[in-house]
Amino acid sequence: MTVPRDVLVVNPNTTASMTDRIGAAARAAAAPTTRVLAVNPSMGPASIEGYYDEALAVPGLLDTIIRHERAARDQGGALAGIVIACFDDVGLDAARCVADAPVVGICEAAMQTAGLLGGSMGVVTTLNRSVPALERLAQRYGVADRCTVRAAEVPVLALEDPASGALDRMRAVIARLLDEDGAECIVLGCAGMADLARSLRQEFGVPVVDGVSAAVTLVEGLATLGLRTSKRGGYAAPLPKAYTGVLAGFAP
Amino acid sequence: MTVPRDVLVVNPNTTASMTDRIGAAARAAAAPTTRVLAVNPSMGPASIEGYYDEALAVPGLLDTIIRHERAARDQGGALAGIVIACFDDVGLDAARCVADAPVVGICEAAMQTAGLLGGSMGVVTTLNRSVPALERLAQRYGVADRCTVRAAEVPVLALEDPASGALDRMRAVIARLLDEDGAECIVLGCAGMADLARSLRQEFGVPVVDGVSAAVTLVEGLATLGLRTSKRGGYAAPLPKAYTGVLAGFAP
Amino acid sequence: MTVPRDVLVVNPNTTASMTDRIGAAARAAAAPTTRVLAVNPSMGPASIEGYYDEALAVPGLLDTIIRHERAARDQGGALAGIVIACFDDVGLDAARCVADAPVVGICEAAMQTAGLLGGSMGVVTTLNRSVPALERLAQRYGVADRCTVRAAEVPVLALEDPASGALDRMRAVIARLLDEDGAECIVLGCAGMADLARSLRQEFGVPVVDGVSAAVTLVEGLATLGLRTSKRGGYAAPLPKAYTGVLAGFAP
Amino acid sequence: MTVPRDVLVVNPNTTASMTDRIGAAARAAAAPTTRVLAVNPSMGPASIEGYYDEALAVPGLLDTIIRHERAARDQGGALAGIVIACFDDVGLDAARCVADAPVVGICEAAMQTAGLLGGSMGVVTTLNRSVPALERLAQRYGVADRCTVRAAEVPVLALEDPASGALDRMRAVIARLLDEDGAECIVLGCAGMADLARSLRQEFGVPVVDGVSAAVTLVEGLATLGLRTSKRGGYAAPLPKAYTGVLAGFAP
Amino acid sequence: MTVPRDVLVVNPNTTASMTDRIGAAARAAAAPTTRVLAVNPSMGPASIEGYYDEALAVPGLLDTIIRHERAARDQGGALAGIVIACFDDVGLDAARCVADAPVVGICEAAMQTAGLLGGSMGVVTTLNRSVPALERLAQRYGVADRCTVRAAEVPVLALEDPASGALDRMRAVIARLLDEDGAECIVLGCAGMADLARSLRQEFGVPVVDGVSAAVTLVEGLATLGLRTSKRGGYAAPLPKAYTGVLAGFAP
Amino acid sequence: MTVPRDVLVVNPNTTASMTDRIGAAARAAAAPTTRVLAVNPSMGPASIEGYYDEALAVPGLLDTIIRHERAARDQGGALAGIVIACFDDVGLDAARCVADAPVVGICEAAMQTAGLLGGSMGVVTTLNRSVPALERLAQRYGVADRCTVRAAEVPVLALEDPASGALDRMRAVIARLLDEDGAECIVLGCAGMADLARSLRQEFGVPVVDGVSAAVTLVEGLATLGLRTSKRGGYAAPLPKAYTGVLAGFAP
């Protein structure tokens, strides 16, 4: 009866195994009537660790979004929503300009969701180099005065390897966020941590928010409400103009 | 197959006709598997216009939540989530302390949702006296620097009366929020406006967010994610102690 | 010659022994020509520890204020000012709407007073669960960036019991506020601590501010200046409307 | 019985007629047991209009404070409190370092007092060139997000001249602050306006706060509470050292 | 005697005529011993109007920087500094990670420079869609509370065409920033306006800051001081990893 | 060919040996065509440690600026720029009102420069009593949320004495700023530390910014750009009026 809804979940790095785990987390959160399309670009960095990787993940992300929206339109349909599954929320503003469907970033989703559950939150992320970017996002999303960000110093792809000791380092950071920083909730600060939320929640007895699943529920909600990005102001559709070189195909 | 979920939507004033309209808006947004219980307290003010009404709506609100959670428990179940359907988000913190289920306020829900759709938002509310309270909420929810609040100077219950001219005054305020204040989205700043979102969206061509439906999708999302209010810190369960007088029954 | 002025000091919890100590602190600070009426409601919680107690202390507080203002009017007089003697400043906004006399909360008074005495302040409060509420008040009163709040983890009513060890735990917190957090003044974060200000000031050699006495001097000052709450905007008098149930008597 | 208390009110400019009016406002607000010493330096600018006058008013201000504290000490007494009666709060920090008695600025006093009376305030000051300094003070005192500052474009000393039209220009600014900016209280943004508070309050029906009288009540309160500037941190007493030239006498 | 210093000025769009004008502005500001290399990428958008163009200008920008730093190294030298000559400061963080030389954005440079010249500033930019991005930059650079951004609604490339009426629309916006918003300085909010600073300064009698020339002086200063981007934290050099597709060449 | 430019560097304390070291740092940073005039007043405090010294250093500072601008005018020339070489940026606003040339403070210059080099900064200053003043400057200059200030507890003039152990205490503070506070750059928080930047940069491997040299490059840049302080608003030239006493000569 209910028409199935397509939610596109884009892992903006090119590591397919990470896309699979992200997709699994997304599907576990999605409504029965939602079809999750978990994909990653074919161009760009294998993982996103710092501003340089961030910037170069964006063309692949936008290309992926544009292609999938076009494909859906060609079949007479439309995407119901789009999730950007990198905790730096790379390309979020650009994606909102170019996409018809509403777009949610997983950092945005996780911080908003944690804000509904406690007065303060602690974010455990991968590398120290990512902390300033996440603090800037906390500022942007209006939670900076009740959010502490700490890194476990584990590379993104080490999260895939049980032998890496990554989980133990994350545990130590979470304990510190709760005990020293007064965090009331924990936010997992990397898409690659999505599958750890449940067990950490049980271990620490506080809400542990994974951005991938949080973002899926948020875009589903927007779809239900019939709400899409405002095209008035900063997210207006790109103006037609020439693009050149290997990016010529991106011309609006 | 999917177990139905009960979402309690509390209109904290005592006007049943307004509760009906709120319930209709909530049901329109809820998933097929969600049962919406739209209720209002039997004690307290007939409408909430300013801080005094706000304060005295809270006992009825808390009583309603406590009773419904107890009833659900008595039947071996539990509420999946609770929505406070007054745009002042009255009693939100107290409700989070006492409820097992996650609690979302409609101002909080609307401002968060609007923040996903545009860079800036304009809130149209009822009376000038409510503006300072809403500006303080915008601060609390981290959107103050991209949110303008304006009143249409219509009493809450006038929204029930098509002959009151309330809608025209709201239209004028919305136009001003878009043109002068640079708002990219509109937020309806009163639970009694819930049924206007769709038509105003079509008229003005920008997202128009109603907090009731937005809050329903947010608590459904929290329920799906298995997330509940942190009981560590500010939202810890009330300590047992004596309450006296007509409020004796509220003793934790 | 000078007409005596009546200042109403409301302890919003129902513990009379605490009201007595608050009254003593208030009288010690009041001008010779001020009569302090230290009272508490007959309904509500025995102590205020967290948001739930806060919310349910408000009806008793408002009832107390309304009755005393009415009694004064009946005798051809008026209250000169009202102090809300709970450090969470419960019901402050609602009280300002309904009272003729100016109203000051003791957290507000203490933070403002400390702001006149040093560049930064440290607040020692009772329970961890109260910290988020006080941090939000620091934000509201504009001192958040120069204020640290820490809890001694002593229940409010333990302050009445010399054998509870409460004082020693407070001392340890004060030392930490001064040494680690760089506080230049100390604020006592609970009405029940009012009688400790003098001895702690001598012990630590820094200003120690008690909100009860600070608030008494502030409302006396407002009375002297002939200043009362603005009735334009957020503190406009409640609009007439029906209230039902056990709260029917509160109808404006 | 009550020992009279000496409050020093320093007009930091050298215009004696303005000192007289400031003294009158101070005395009208002071308790019967307070002796107001309204004085001005013999060196420095005749009025304070902008940062340059501000800076050069400070030595005279400090000299005045130091002399009066020394004279009081020589007579076995002490000042109970000190008011800096220029709305730019010139020399406030330096005065706090060097004075034994607590020190309050009239902008600080007025903004704090207005904050007790309404959710937002409007400041009417003299010249446009003073607006940035007052906006910075609003930031420092934590009211920036609920304070609008506007100038009437009247020179300070024109306030002494009924024929100058200054009052009418102030009235127009006040009307704009209330109607356009949503101010709920008015603050008089110059010590020379002290005598206008009462009549403007009656005319506009909102609280109108004069900083001179507000500051007198605040320092009286601090004296009553036995509170003085913290000497720990930024307001530590000046270290002994050589001063040379015409300022040699200021050496601590 | 003095070794010439090479400053790379990158116009991140592909319009060579605009690069020429930017280069002229840069050279007019540069020291005699500085060689300005004004360049633009061969891939990407012809102008940058909104977030989408921004995002897709970054690969070309980074490629240009990497190539020029490598070429300088191959010749035994090094760039002294890099200017990103688009007022959205596109790719600034990524450039800081990958470049050896210090990097300055023209919005950053202009806002900092204006902050040295007046208490408040007004930015005149091209299109309304760019306003939210610039307001976010004002926040990031710490001038948001003293900065107003307004658009003249002129497309970027219309600035090249004297017949477009662009200048008159800019003049009207500047007048409004000065008269209504109280701006004390004007900032030109687009690299394409660089050549207008001098004449507008004369016309309006206030400082008019062009970001291109301001940024050139800032990077020259950094070079003189021997200061380069910190590689500790957020701007650490990119970690080695695989990049794929058309972006494979960007692999660190 | 290039006309030499005169930059006035004012050490606002009266210690000539410190002026010499400041002058040396300034000259090392200045362009070959810049003549640095490093001077100090003949009146005022021997060092600036806290708000009292600050305030009384200002007349000498302003006198020095006025005399040198007059002397330059008398010779048919003009100062190109003025640096206030005390890290408290004493008298900066007043100097901007009275000077024709642009004026830069060394704290302002150092914080802005550090902001170009890293996401966060740590300031090492002399005495604890100076920390609140520097934190307030960090707020004013918009870097408060990414700046930590710590004192080494060394008196200003001890920096002149290699046997004082001052350098070791500074080293310990720098290590803490990097390790605990996450600073990415270090700012030297006293003009007397100017000569230590280079060696500390090598020792710690992060940018170490000295305000004196940073300020010299900034005013040179302003001179190159032909930009001077806006005389519209807060920095308008002082109005003519009587000044009396030993300060009579300061009358505008």
Side-chain angles (χ1 to χ4, degrees), chain C residues 106-247:
Chain C
I106 66 169
C107 173
E108 181 180 41
M111 287 182 175
Q112 283 206 356
T113 299
L116 301 174
L117 301 169
S120 57
M121 66 190 74
V123 178
V124 51
T125 192
T126 50
L127 297 177
N128 265 324
R129 64 175 59 203
S130 295
V131 172
L134 301 191
E135 287 175 338
R136 217 185 277 164
L137 289 179
Q139 199 98 37
R140 172 175 170 181
Y141 300 139
V143 298
D145 54 352
R146 50 189 186 125
C147 178
T148 308
V149 183
R150 292 194 183 275
E153 278 303 307
V154 296
V156 169
L157 298 181
L159 293 168
E160 309 242 306
D161 173 12
S164 69
L167 185 55
D168 281 346
R169 267 177 280 169
M170 284 177 60
R171 275 196 190 107
V173 168
I174 292 172
R176 189 170 176 198
L177 288 165
L178 295 174
D179 294 341
E180 282 182 37
D181 304 319
E184 296 178 13
C185 308
I186 295 299
V187 168
L188 300 178
C190 176
M193 299 172 178
D195 48 358
L196 304 173
R198 194 166 301 267
S199 66
L200 290 170
R201 198 178 307 164
Q202 280 164 350
E203 180 174 349
F204 287 98
V206 294
V208 176
V209 181
D210 153 54
V212 175
S213 45
V216 167
T217 67
L218 287 187
V219 285
E220 286 182 332
L222 294 177
T224 297
L225 300 172
L227 289 169
R228 304 205 295 192
T229 305
S230 177
K231 291 301 173 180
R232 184 187 180 96
Y235 297 134
L239 295 169
K241 70 184 57 166
Y243 273 55
T244 51
V246 298
L247 299 175

Side-chain angles (χ1 to χ4, degrees), chain D residues 14 42-47 49 51-53 56 66 93 129 136 140 233-234 236-239 241-244 246-247 250, chain F residues 14 42-47 49 51-53 56 93 129 136 140 233-234 236-239 241-244 246-247 250:
Chain D
T14 59
S42 55
M43 62 171 140
S47 64
E49 297 168 317
Y51 296 116
Y52 181 81
D53 293 339
L56 289 159
I66 292 168
D93 292 313
R129 63 176 59 201
R136 218 184 277 164
R140 171 174 172 183
L239 295 168
K241 70 184 57 167
Y243 273 55
T244 50
V246 298
L247 300 176
F250 283 94
Chain F
T14 59
S42 54
M43 61 171 141
S47 64
E49 297 168 315
Y51 295 117
Y52 181 81
D53 294 339
L56 289 158
D93 292 314
R129 64 177 57 204
R136 216 184 277 162
R140 171 174 172 182
L239 295 168
K241 69 184 58 169
Y243 274 54
T244 51
V246 297
L247 300 175
F250 283 95

Side-chain angles (χ1 to χ4, degrees), chain E residues 2 24 30 38 65 78 134:
Chain E
T2 319
I65 290 172
L134 300 192

Side-chain angles (χ1 to χ4, degrees), chain D residues 43-131:
Chain D
M43 62 171 140
S47 64
I48 299 178
E49 297 168 317
Y51 296 116
Y52 181 81
D53 293 339
E54 270 191 35
L56 289 159
V58 175
L61 168 85
L62 296 175
D63 178 63
T64 303
I65 290 172
I66 292 168
R67 282 176 198 275
H68 279 84
E69 286 219 316
R70 192 180 303 142
R73 264 197 310 272
D74 289 351
Q75 296 173 355
L79 295 182
I82 298 166
V83 170
I84 299 179
C86 166
F87 206 78
D88 295 336
D89 285 359
V90 299
L92 178 58
D93 292 313
R96 282 189 175 142
C97 292
V98 80
D100 282 335
V103 187
V104 174
I106 67 169
C107 173
E108 181 181 42
M111 287 182 175
Q112 283 207 355
T113 299
L116 301 174
L117 301 169
S120 58
M121 67 190 73
V123 179
V124 52
T125 191
T126 49
L127 297 177
N128 266 325
R129 63 176 59 201
S130 295
V131 172

